Amino acid sequence: MSETSHASEPQTAANGARQINDFCINVATANGTGSQTSNIALLRAMFRMGIPVAGKNLFPSNIQGLPTWYNIRLSKAGHIAHRDVAEILVAMNPKTVAEDLTKVPSGGVIFYDTALPVKEDREDVVYYAMPVKDMVKSMSVAPNLREYIANMVYVGVVAELLGIEMEMLRSALDTHFSGKKKAVDLNMQMIEMAAEHTRNNLPKRDPYWIERIEGGNKDLLLVEGNAAGALGSVYGGVNVVAWYPITPATSLADGLNEYLPQLRRTSEGKSTYAVIQAEDELAAIGMCVGAGWAGARSMTSTSGPGISLMAEFAGLAYQAEIPTVVWDIQRVGPSTGLPTRTSQGDLGFTYQLGHGDSRHIILLPANPAECFEFGYKALDLAEQFQTPVFVLSDLDLGMNLWMSKPFVYPETPMNRGKVLTAEQLEALNGNWGRYADVDGDGIPYRTLPGTNHPAAGYFTRGTGHNDKAAYSERPEDWEGNLQRLRRKFNTARKHVPKPELTQQDGGSFGLISFGTNHNAIIEAMEMLKADGHVCDYLRIRALPATAEVGEFIEKYDRVYVIENNFDGQMHGILLQDNPSHATRLASLSRQNGMPLSAIWLHEQIKAAHERFTKALA
Amino acid sequence: MSDVTNTKAAKTNNIGLEKNDYKGLPSTLCKGCGHDSVSARIINVAYDMGLPPHRTIKISGIGCSSKSPAYFLGRSHSFNALHGRMPSVATGAMAAHRDLLTIGISGDGDTASIGLGQFKHLLRRNVPMLYIVENNGVYGLTKGQFSATADEGQTLKYAGVNELPPIDICLEAIVGNCGFVARSFAGDPRQVETLLKAAISYKGTAVIDIISPCVTFNNHLSSTKSYPFGKDHEIQLQELSYIPHYEEITIDEYDDGTRKKVQLHDGSWITLKKLEKGHDPTDFGQAVNILQEAQSKKELITGLIYINNNYKDLHSVLGTVDQPISSLQEKDLRPSRESLEDIMAGMR
Ligand SMILES: Cc1ncc(C[n+]2csc(CCOP(=O)(O)OP(=O)(O)O)c2C)c(N)n1
Ligand code: SF4
Ligand SMILES: [Mg+2]
């Protein structure tokens, strides 16, 4: 990294140290003022300067007026987890400014709109006053654009003082406005005007610098999890989509609506897919189940409230063995309250969704590249196992822009599962059983409507069928079916994505987690190591848990299961799977609507493990 | 069968299938249940029209009525889904496979209570399918509760007196932009068959509300959904006939005020001779009025109530390829490696 190349430059801060590419910026605005364009331009410009960045939009359930914070973290070490503390505040919201100011740590910086009631009364921070209104006035823009363009003022001031390159801001806006020059020019004009004002009136007094890292972020993408999931599904050949709007899942459907027309139309302009905005989630999954039954690769995207409505169909699809894919972008629930806050609270419910006994395959992406990967893998698994497959992402991953490894084009051909054609039926003399376990793996064969053979048709119903799909209430038929379904589930254990192991020399205890907790865990592991606590970490990427999970647990006296829900739902599932190791597993879960932070994890793991080792001694 | 008939070639239809090929399992419904007579009509019609069993699917909700797909067209794929949710399953199946001929079977509870929302949205999308409601004014399978189509003021042994006005399925269909709306009576086999044929020739959702008495829970004269009431009081709106597209239509002077002919999407015709009510099914206003009037007078009117060939159907709105999208394989479904590189370039 470029730290050393600047060592000779003058030092500005009182304590002498320049803080380069390693701090957080918190932008406080009101929802609906258009600040998102400004914040994303800042983020993307830094990304294009080669600096590891992460952006988090903390927004209310509201269209206009309620407070919004945008948190940008720069980390030369590449840590992109949520951090609770931001050294730099950009105060633009009169309603929250009082509290926002108190959160700035000693040594921090406050950029504020002069219209806000800010008294420069703290000695331990640096203030920069931004006369936003005057600057906007000096630009001749239509009155309806004033509020929006006002957000470009802080972009210009912050860029000038911290060192964000103007050319990168322009290129970021160019991406944002898809090359619409007029919009780019208008915004840049405001940014440059604010930068010039800063050069003339606001000498730099803080120690924070943003400096280009040559070759940094090479090949990486800056992308939202939902866009990645949509794209992965498109490359997975999804051809029937039914969905109902809900934050934070809507942008996944938006992604499908953007990429499908682009990538999946014939030369005559006809679609190789159907996207239907359903009347509710119940209908959405009903359509997916109907389509999956008829041979389509179907999917829907939703969040917790939608999952609740999908319960009956999920159970039916499980018992009738119909493929479909459900993305759940988890949020805090139920009902209203914190629908725009993140959570991993749907895991337990989704794992057994449906009445009677059901167990579902669940994929657990942790980053956009994995959203892409699971986009096509979920469709493969659904058809391979003739069952609904759930992908549990979350608001944090789905709706924020993340640095991501490039997406890997699917290496294997599509897996369309065990589908009998008319020719195969002929070869079997029409002798087949829809729910017979011919191969011993629990996965039966199916036929699709439209198959031109007299023996192709069968009768689909939820419960009450025998091997040949004939109506049956015989206890042994029903029990045999449940046993086969469990056999099938255990076959899936060998085929779902395997967990990812992070091992350190001398790791003496284990961490297990999944999804977006990953970044905070990696960072916390470094902090723990500095304290002399060396641990290994297994990130589960799918349920049912594969053999590696049990083997990992077996290796340590203590394994902490880390998750972003209150009940420790994964902990519960692992206890069920590994009853003989129950005493090794300890739950470490939290849910407050925010992503887990490394600082919190470090504290909690350290305290818990010190208690544990003390008790042992 | 006797040896004599065995040696004779069995009668076959235009695609070489016997009537038996269209039959299903023996019914397990109550003896005399209206739903069984509807199943028999479907078997006849499918045979007469030469429906290809492999391209025909049956989808139903939950109820005695929704069980009945097991008792006809045994060679076709069938899906007994969830209570009130047949419409969404049918929508998905049709989106996946546009060449299927879909027969939806529902009950009055299934369609007018738990499934009213999905029913209306299916109509709104104009999913091409035959939508049959076997309407008995009662919940059969759960043993005799009032359904939302029960007559106001009628009495049931188990449920007492129904104080609420009925939901009229045909009225809901017409105001829901359905282009083929008919009502019939299970005790009027000829009319049921004629309407079924016309509905199958129609491209779009075709709703037939068939009064199909529940002989066990709601078959007394005080109910407009009973055999005794229907037998005595059915008022046919028209004398209907169906002329398949391959037959020549011989009478030219149809549209003379008392007679009318309407061509259907596959080229077939439905011809109708108006009876005393003088109803014109191409007139939206008349269709709504005649239903409202019948409801207030507690009349059972049957026949083609509304027809409109101009609504756009699901597939034209979706703009999908001509072949079923479920038949597309990897080469059509997975975009190229290069296209992914291009898209990623825009994310850097
Ligand atoms: C979600 C759900 N709720 C309730 C039921 C119980 N149930 C089964 S059939 C039925 C009513 C069926 O009435 P209708 O559709 O009129 O059919 P019929 O039996 O009269 O032909 C009900 C309430 C169910 N199967 N599922
Ligand atoms: S209960 Fe009624 S609807 Fe059900 S089978 Fe018997 S007669 Fe038919
Ligand atoms: Mg009924």
Side-chain angles (χ1 to χ4, degrees), chain A residues 408-538:
Chain A
V408 181
Y409 191 79
E411 318 93 37
T412 47
M414 283 181 189
N415 188 340
R416 304 303 304 260
K418 299 183 189 177
V419 177
L420 293 173
T421 61
E423 295 71 43
Q424 289 169 313
L425 287 170
E426 194 52 40
L428 291 166
N429 282 323
N431 239 321
W432 73 291
R434 168 66 181 100
Y435 296 111
D437 187 5
V438 179
D439 305 322
D441 55 5
I443 310 171
Y445 286 79
R446 63 177 182 141
T447 58
L448 302 179
T451 306
N452 195 357
H453 191 279
Y458 67 93
F459 198 96
T460 306
R461 53 168 72 80
T463 55
H465 50 251
N466 64 15
D467 277 6
K468 295 241 171 200
Y471 186 78
S472 167
E473 295 188 26
R474 290 171 67 223
E476 50 277 34
D477 282 341
W478 179 229
E479 195 172 16
N481 195 56
L482 289 173
Q483 284 161 347
R484 183 182 52 76
L485 284 167
R486 191 47 47 90
R487 211 152 52 237
K488 180 166 94 164
F489 194 68
N490 285 330
T491 303
R493 272 183 210 281
K494 297 181 211 123
H495 289 85
V496 297
K498 291 194 185 309
E500 180 188 82
L501 177 66
T502 307
Q503 218 160 3
Q504 311 195 79
D505 265 353
S508 65
F509 62 99
L511 308 178
I512 286 182
S513 193
F514 58 97
T516 43
N517 310 327
H518 176 77
N519 303 303
I521 291 173
I522 293 290
E523 192 177 351
M525 281 169 74
E526 280 184 18
M527 295 157 91
L528 285 163
K529 196 173 179 179
D531 297 336
H533 295 296
V534 183
C535 59
D536 298 333
Y537 157 48
L538 190 76

Side-chain angles (χ1 to χ4, degrees), chain A residues 312, chain B residues 35 62-65 83 107-110 114 136 138-142:
Chain A
E312 195 183 13
Chain B
H35 306 345
I62 299 287
C64 296
S65 35
H83 194 24
D108 42 318
D110 202 61
I114 191 167
N136 52 17
V138 73
Y139 288 4
L141 196 58
T142 50

Side-chain angles (χ1 to χ4, degrees), chain A residues 48 219 222 235 239 259 264 270-271 273 277 279 283 287 407 409 412 414 447-448 450-451 458-460, chain B residues 54 77-78 80 85 88 92 118 121 125 319-322 325-326 330 333-335 339-340 344 347-348:
Chain A
R48 288 184 180 168
D219 292 334
L222 192 66
Y235 282 82
N239 54 14
Y259 295 126
R264 292 271 302 279
K270 295 204 170 157
S271 305
Y273 59 86
Q277 185 184 320
E279 58 270 31
M287 290 175 198
F407 306 149
Y409 191 79
T412 47
M414 283 181 189
T447 58
L448 302 179
T451 306
Y458 67 93
F459 198 96
T460 306
Chain B
H54 73 282
H77 274 81
S78 194
N80 195 175
R85 317 302 177 198
S88 59
Q118 291 211 346
H121 285 276
R125 294 190 183 94
T320 38
V321 287
D322 298 335
I325 50 184
S326 62
E330 182 157 345
L333 295 178
R334 175 164 289 165
S339 66
L340 181 61
M344 286 197 291
M347 293 172 172
R348 295 206 160 97

Side-chain angles (χ1 to χ4, degrees), chain A residues 44 47-48 175 219-223 227 231 234-240 259 262-264 266 269-280 282-283 286-291 293-297 312-313 316 320 322 372 376 380 406-410 412-414 416 447-454 456-462, chain B residues 25 53-60 62 66-71 74-83 85-98 100 114 117-122 124-125 314 318-323 325-341 343-348:
Chain A
R44 191 169 268 127
F47 172 74
R48 288 184 180 168
T175 301
D219 292 334
L220 296 186
L221 313 175
L222 192 66
V223 61
L231 202 57
V234 173
Y235 282 82
V238 66
N239 54 14
V240 173
Y259 295 126
Q262 213 174 309
L263 293 164
R264 292 271 302 279
T266 62
K270 295 204 170 157
S271 305
T272 60
Y273 59 86
V275 179
I276 302 174
Q277 185 184 320
E279 58 270 31
D280 54 34
L282 217 159
M287 290 175 198
C288 288
V289 167
W293 176 78
R297 306 203 117 190
E312 195 183 13
F313 261 119
L316 175 72
I322 296 166
F372 179 87
Y376 68 83
D380 277 348
F407 306 149
V408 181
Y409 191 79
T412 47
M414 283 181 189
R416 304 303 304 260
T447 58
L448 302 179
T451 306
N452 195 357
H453 191 279
Y458 67 93
F459 198 96
T460 306
R461 53 168 72 80
Chain B
L25 298 170
H54 73 282
R55 277 208 297 113
T56 307
I57 59 171
K58 306 163 284 177
I59 305 191
S60 58
I62 299 287
S66 294
K67 281 166 87 164
S68 68
Y71 316 134
R75 275 173 54 174
S76 299
H77 274 81
S78 194
F79 194 163
N80 195 175
L82 296 178
H83 194 24
R85 317 302 177 198
M86 176 267 274
S88 59
V89 176
T91 304
M94 282 311 285
H97 198 314
R98 62 185 304 162
L100 296 176
I114 191 167
Q118 291 211 346
F119 174 59
K120 299 284 285 197
H121 285 276
L122 175 105
R124 181 166 173 256
R125 294 190 183 94
L314 177 79
L318 290 175
T320 38
V321 287
D322 298 335
Q323 75 261 48
I325 50 184
S326 62
S327 70
L328 300 175
Q329 296 302 321
E330 182 157 345
K331 68 174 177 32
D332 299 305
L333 295 178
R334 175 164 289 165
S336 69
R337 202 175 279 275
E338 297 70 48
S339 66
L340 181 61
E341 289 303 327
I343 287 186
M344 286 197 291
M347 293 172 172
R348 295 206 160 97

Side-chain angles (χ1 to χ4, degrees), chain B residues 195-331:
Chain B
L195 286 169
L196 284 173
K197 287 178 183 172
I200 288 168
S201 294
Y202 180 83
K203 188 161 169 266
T205 316
V207 171
I208 311 184
D209 177 26
I210 303 179
I211 304 308
S212 173
C214 170
V215 294
T216 305
F217 296 112
N218 194 18
N219 197 31
H220 36 79
L221 201 55
S222 74
S223 162
T224 60
K225 316 278 187 303
S226 67
Y227 274 127
F229 185 91
K231 288 249 152 70
D232 291 355
H233 300 281
E234 179 189 3
I235 304 172
Q236 291 188 340
L237 294 175
Q238 311 102 348
E239 226 176 84
L240 294 168
S241 24
Y242 171 85
I243 304 168
H245 58 89
Y246 49 82
E247 270 175 34
E248 227 172 298
I249 199 163
T250 44
I251 317 156
D252 290 331
E253 63 283 6
Y254 254 96
D255 293 302
D256 63 357
T258 60
R259 288 179 298 183
K260 204 172 176 80
K261 64 178 197 292
V262 182
Q263 193 163 29
L264 302 158
H265 296 90
D266 70 351
S268 310
W269 295 85
I270 183 154
T271 68
L272 38 97
K273 185 160 162 261
K274 290 181 189 169
L275 298 176
E276 63 188 78
K277 294 250 183 203
H279 177 60
D280 178 2
T282 61
D283 184 322
F284 185 93
Q286 276 192 41
V288 170
N289 285 338
I290 203 163
L291 285 168
Q292 276 174 338
E293 209 180 279
Q295 195 180 95
S296 62
K297 293 190 190 156
K298 292 212 169 113
E299 282 176 349
L300 171 57
I301 53 168
T302 64
L304 184 62
I305 294 169
Y306 184 61
I307 186 154
N308 180 340
N309 279 326
N310 300 323
Y311 292 135
K312 277 187 294 189
D313 80 339
L314 177 79
H315 294 111
S316 57
V317 173
L318 290 175
T320 38
V321 287
D322 298 335
Q323 75 261 48
I325 50 184
S326 62
S327 70
L328 300 175
Q329 296 302 321
E330 182 157 345
K331 68 174 177 32

